[in-house]
Amino acid sequence: MILKSIKRNILNIPGWQTERKIIVIESDDWGTVRVSSPEAYRHFLQKSYPVNECPYNSYDMLESNKDMELLFETLWPIKDSHGNPAIITMNNNVANPDFDRIKNDNFQNYYFEPFTETYNNYPNHDRVVKLYKDGIENKMLMPQFHGKEHVNVARWMEALQQNDKSAHSAFEHRMFSVHAERNPKVVNEFMDALNADSAKELNSKAEIVIDGLNLFKNIWGFSSDSFIAPCYIWDTTLAPILAKNGVKYLQGLVMQFEPVVEQGYKYKRKYHYQGQRNKLRQYYLIRNAFFEPSSNPDFDWVSDCLNRIEVAFRWGKPAIICSHRLNFMGGLNQENRSKNLNLLESLLKEIIKRWPMVEFKSTNQLGDILNQDL
C-alpha cells in the first residue's frame, strides 16, 4: 500500500502545474465494432472460445441509442463550478472494415466504411449520430482522434488470406477480434492498429493516420486537436504527421510503447510526464486516474479514482481519468451499463462535493489551458 502511494505521488510530481481543479474523462474505442451481438457472444462461448475471460468481449459492443441516452442522463445533472455538465472526451475510431466488400473480393483487398455507416447494420442504432451531435452541442461529449480503424489491417488481412480459423469465425459475425486460443502472432487480437513488425509495415501507418484524420474532419466538421493510439502502441515517427494535420496534444499513459520492428511484439518504453513538450511543440497529456469497473467488477473503482484525483490535485496537476467505452455499454449486458453508470454518478457527485471549485474539461480544452499557460 505504501509503495502504491509512493508511485502515485511520483507520477504526479514532474511537469506543468496549475492551481485549478480540472477533471478530464478520456474514453477510448467509440465508433469501433467489437462483439456484434449477444447471439455472436453466445456462439463463440458455445464453441469454447473463452470470450467470457475478456471484459471487452463480455461487455463491449457498438454504442446504441439507449447507451447514449442513459449516459447523457448521468452526465447532464452534475455541474461543475461554472455550471457545465460533466464531459467525456470520446476518442473515436472513424472507420470499420467493410465486411461485405472484403468478402466479395475474396479477402484479397481491404475496404473500410465510415463508422457512421456501420450503425446501419445494427438495430436500435439509427439515432446515434444525432445523439452524438446533441451531446457535443450540450457540452457532454467532445470527439477526438483514436485512429482510423481499431484493427491492425495488415495482420488481420494476412490471417484471413491464410484461412486462419479464428479470424474467419469472427469475420462471419462481422467482427475482427474474438478471445481465441493464444496465438503469438496475434498478441493483441488484431486491436493494435499502429503496431508494426517491419519498416515497410511501419511506413504504411502514416497513410492510415492521414486518411483517418481527414475522415475525422469530414465527419465532425473540425480537426482533432489530440490523439490517443490504439493499445497505446505507436511509433514517434508519426508525430510530425499528426502535427502537420493539426494534432497538438498527445494523450497516453506515463509509458508509450514504441514498436521495435523486425522483432515482433517488442517495444521501447518511452517515459512521458504531464505537459511535456516535444520538438514539434506537441504536449503530452498523461492519464493519472482510472475508472474501469468492467475490467474488475469487485474492485472499488470510485474510492481508488478519488484517491488518485486527490494525489493529482496535491501536486497541482489536472486529473485525467481513463475510462473505456465498454464501461457504459449495455448491448451485451444491461446490468453492466446500469451498475457502472450508477458508479459514475457516485464518482462525479463525490468529486463536486470534495472539490467545489472543480472544472470539467475535455482533452482539447485542457490542452489549450496548458498551451496558454506555458
Side-chain angles (χ1 to χ4, degrees):
M1 197 70 180
I2 295 176
L3 181 60
K4 184 184 293 186
S5 177
I6 291 173
K7 287 181 177 179
R8 291 181 180 183
N9 279 272
I10 290 174
L11 169 66
N12 286 282
I13 292 174
W16 175 68
Q17 293 182 318
T18 178
E19 294 182 358
R20 297 167 68 171
K21 309 301 183 188
I22 298 174
I23 295 284
V24 175
I25 303 174
E26 295 180 345
S27 186
D28 299 349
D29 304 339
W30 295 80
T32 194
V33 297
R34 191 75 192 213
V35 177
S36 57
S37 67
E39 293 75 22
Y41 176 82
R42 289 193 292 268
H43 167 82
F44 289 111
L45 200 58
Q46 291 168 1
K47 293 291 184 180
S48 298
Y49 285 77
V51 287
N52 57 316
E53 296 178 7
C54 172
Y56 289 91
N57 287 314
S58 297
Y59 303 120
D60 203 13
M61 186 176 166
L62 189 69
E63 55 275 7
S64 69
N65 301 335
K66 195 67 174 178
D67 293 328
M68 303 297 290
E69 290 168 344
L70 292 176
L71 179 61
F72 292 163
E73 288 179 13
T74 304
L75 298 174
W76 178 251
I78 302 173
K79 304 295 199 296
D80 68 6
S81 58
H82 299 293
N84 295 313
I87 184 170
I88 288 182
T89 298
M90 181 199 74
N91 290 314
N92 178 207
N93 294 100
V94 293
N96 287 304
D98 188 327
F99 294 93
D100 293 331
R101 290 187 69 190
I102 294 171
K103 186 174 183 178
N104 291 339
D105 196 22
N106 198 30
F107 306 101
Q108 294 306 299
N109 294 287
Y110 175 74
Y111 302 93
F112 69 88
E113 64 185 10
F115 83 100
T116 49
E117 295 181 11
T118 306
Y119 298 120
N120 298 330
N121 300 315
Y122 289 74
N124 305 313
H125 287 66
D126 58 309
R127 293 185 291 108
V128 172
V129 175
K130 182 183 183 302
L131 287 164
Y132 272 132
K133 293 177 180 178
D134 291 344
I136 295 169
E137 183 178 351
N138 289 292
K139 300 180 180 179
M140 290 182 287
L141 287 182
M142 174 49 66
Q144 293 290 279
F145 187 59
H146 190 28
K148 186 164 166 270
E149 305 92 349
H150 207 313
V151 58
N152 191 308
V153 171
R155 294 177 183 176
W156 183 55
M157 290 301 298
E158 180 183 15
L160 291 169
Q161 290 162 4
Q162 293 180 352
N163 293 316
D164 179 271
K165 178 184 175 182
S166 297
H168 274 276
S169 295
F171 189 97
E172 289 305 311
H173 288 269
R174 308 183 78 85
M175 298 160 51
F176 50 78
S177 176
V178 294
H179 200 60
E181 64 275 5
R182 297 298 178 189
N183 185 340
K185 293 184 178 180
V186 195
V187 173
N188 297 299
E189 298 189 47
F190 301 115
M191 301 299 292
D192 48 353
L194 298 179
N195 206 349
D197 279 337
S198 67
K200 180 181 178 181
E201 187 181 357
L202 186 60
N203 289 336
S204 70
K205 305 303 178 184
E207 183 178 347
I208 290 173
V209 167
I210 293 170
D211 288 347
L213 285 165
N214 288 334
L215 184 55
F216 182 100
K217 187 174 183 179
N218 289 337
I219 290 171
W220 296 114
F222 55 87
S223 298
S224 180
D225 289 328
S226 72
F227 164 70
I228 175 70
C231 302
Y232 308 107
I233 300 170
W234 66 288
D235 195 277
T236 306
T237 57
L238 292 172
I241 308 287
L242 293 163
K244 187 176 180 180
N245 287 272
V247 172
K248 299 178 286 186
Y249 313 119
L250 301 170
Q251 301 180 40
L253 303 177
V254 69
M255 290 294 178
Q256 172 191 345
F257 299 94
E258 188 170 65
V260 178
V261 296
E262 315 297 349
Q263 294 190 28
Y265 298 103
K266 301 291 184 181
Y267 307 103
K268 289 186 291 185
R269 295 173 178 245
K270 289 195 169 182
Y271 167 78
H272 299 297
Y273 57 85
Q274 204 70 269
Q276 178 185 357
R277 189 175 74 180
N278 64 19
K279 294 179 181 178
L280 300 165
R281 300 185 66 84
Q282 293 168 308
Y283 291 95
Y284 290 89
L285 301 177
I286 306 304
R287 297 174 176 183
N288 53 7
F290 301 89
F291 178 76
E292 302 283 6
S294 291
S295 67
N296 183 357
D298 297 325
F299 184 70
D300 188 350
W301 288 96
V302 172
S303 295
D304 183 77
C305 192
L306 289 167
N307 176 267
R308 290 175 182 270
I309 293 169
E310 183 177 5
V311 173
F313 287 169
R314 180 187 307 151
W315 294 101
K317 298 297 188 291
I320 303 179
I321 303 169
C322 176
S323 187
H324 284 69
R325 178 186 69 177
L326 81 160
N327 297 298
F328 313 117
M329 298 297 100
L332 297 176
N333 186 318
Q334 292 185 24
E335 184 181 354
N336 173 70
R337 180 179 61 201
S338 298
K339 179 181 177 181
N340 294 342
L341 287 177
N342 286 335
L343 290 174
L344 177 64
E345 181 181 26
S346 298
L347 173 64
L348 294 172
K349 285 183 174 179
E350 188 62 27
I351 287 172
I352 60 175
K353 178 181 176 182
R354 292 193 187 187
W355 300 284
M357 297 308 294
V358 73
E359 302 174 61
F360 295 133
K361 298 293 183 183
S362 61
T363 297
N364 57 315
Q365 288 175 325
L366 170 63
D368 290 346
I369 292 169
L370 183 151
N371 204 1
Q372 292 170 7
D373 202 23
L374 296 178

